[in-house]
Short mmCIF file of all heavy atoms in Angstrom, two decimals:
data_model
loop_
_atom_site.label_atom_id
_atom_site.label_comp_id
_atom_site.label_asym_id
_atom_site.label_seq_id
_atom_site.Cartn_x
_atom_site.Cartn_y
_atom_site.Cartn_z
N VAL A 27 134.62 116.52 104.85
CA VAL A 27 135.85 116.24 105.62
C VAL A 27 136.91 117.30 105.32
O VAL A 27 137.52 117.87 106.23
CB VAL A 27 136.40 114.84 105.32
CG1 VAL A 27 137.70 114.61 106.07
CG2 VAL A 27 135.36 113.79 105.68
N GLN A 86 124.72 129.16 102.94
CA GLN A 86 125.04 127.97 103.71
C GLN A 86 126.12 128.26 104.73
O GLN A 86 125.99 127.89 105.91
CB GLN A 86 125.51 126.84 102.77
CG GLN A 86 125.73 125.53 103.47
CD GLN A 86 126.20 124.46 102.51
OE1 GLN A 86 127.20 124.65 101.80
NE2 GLN A 86 125.50 123.36 102.46
N PRO A 110 111.65 119.58 91.71
CA PRO A 110 110.56 119.31 90.78
C PRO A 110 109.54 120.42 90.73
O PRO A 110 108.98 120.70 89.65
CB PRO A 110 109.93 118.00 91.31
CG PRO A 110 110.45 117.86 92.69
CD PRO A 110 111.76 118.51 92.74
N GLN A 120 105.19 118.73 84.49
CA GLN A 120 104.96 118.07 85.77
C GLN A 120 105.67 116.72 85.88
O GLN A 120 105.54 115.90 84.99
CB GLN A 120 103.46 117.88 85.98
CG GLN A 120 103.10 117.26 87.35
CD GLN A 120 101.61 117.15 87.56
OE1 GLN A 120 100.83 117.53 86.68
NE2 GLN A 120 101.22 116.61 88.68
N GLY A 146 116.38 118.76 119.80
CA GLY A 146 115.15 119.45 119.42
C GLY A 146 115.23 120.03 118.02
O GLY A 146 116.24 119.97 117.36
N ASP A 178 127.03 124.67 75.50
CA ASP A 178 128.14 123.72 75.75
C ASP A 178 128.40 123.60 77.25
O ASP A 178 128.66 124.65 77.94
CB ASP A 178 129.41 124.24 75.07
CG ASP A 178 130.53 123.23 75.13
OD1 ASP A 178 131.00 122.93 76.26
OD2 ASP A 178 130.97 122.71 74.08
N ILE A 180 130.90 122.56 78.99
CA ILE A 180 132.25 122.99 79.39
C ILE A 180 132.30 124.51 79.50
O ILE A 180 132.82 125.06 80.48
CB ILE A 180 133.30 122.49 78.41
CG1 ILE A 180 133.45 120.95 78.50
CG2 ILE A 180 134.66 123.15 78.65
CD1 ILE A 180 134.39 120.34 77.52
N ALA A 191 133.93 132.79 91.54
CA ALA A 191 135.26 133.17 92.06
C ALA A 191 135.36 134.68 92.20
O ALA A 191 135.86 135.18 93.22
CB ALA A 191 136.34 132.65 91.15
N LEU A 196 135.67 139.41 95.66
CA LEU A 196 135.20 140.76 95.99
C LEU A 196 134.71 140.80 97.41
O LEU A 196 134.95 141.80 98.14
CB LEU A 196 134.07 141.16 95.03
CG LEU A 196 134.48 141.47 93.58
CD1 LEU A 196 133.25 141.74 92.72
CD2 LEU A 196 135.39 142.72 93.55
N ALA A 234 126.72 115.76 82.91
CA ALA A 234 125.75 114.68 83.16
C ALA A 234 124.31 115.14 83.04
O ALA A 234 123.45 114.43 82.51
CB ALA A 234 126.01 114.09 84.57
N GLN A 295 103.90 90.91 88.95
CA GLN A 295 102.44 90.84 89.16
C GLN A 295 101.75 90.40 87.88
O GLN A 295 100.83 89.58 87.92
CB GLN A 295 101.89 92.20 89.61
CG GLN A 295 100.44 92.17 89.97
CD GLN A 295 99.96 93.53 90.45
OE1 GLN A 295 100.70 94.48 90.53
NE2 GLN A 295 98.68 93.63 90.79
N SER A 298 102.28 86.68 87.36
CA SER A 298 101.44 85.86 88.24
C SER A 298 100.00 85.85 87.80
O SER A 298 99.30 84.86 87.94
CB SER A 298 101.57 86.38 89.69
OG SER A 298 101.09 87.71 89.78
N VAL A 304 95.79 80.91 83.45
CA VAL A 304 95.99 79.56 82.85
C VAL A 304 95.44 78.46 83.75
O VAL A 304 94.74 77.55 83.36
CB VAL A 304 97.46 79.33 82.53
CG1 VAL A 304 97.67 77.90 82.04
CG2 VAL A 304 97.97 80.31 81.49
#
Side-chain angles (χ1 to χ4, degrees):
V27 177
Q86 186 180 55
Q120 183 176 358
D178 188 296
I180 290 176
L196 287 174
Q295 185 178 1
S298 62
V304 174

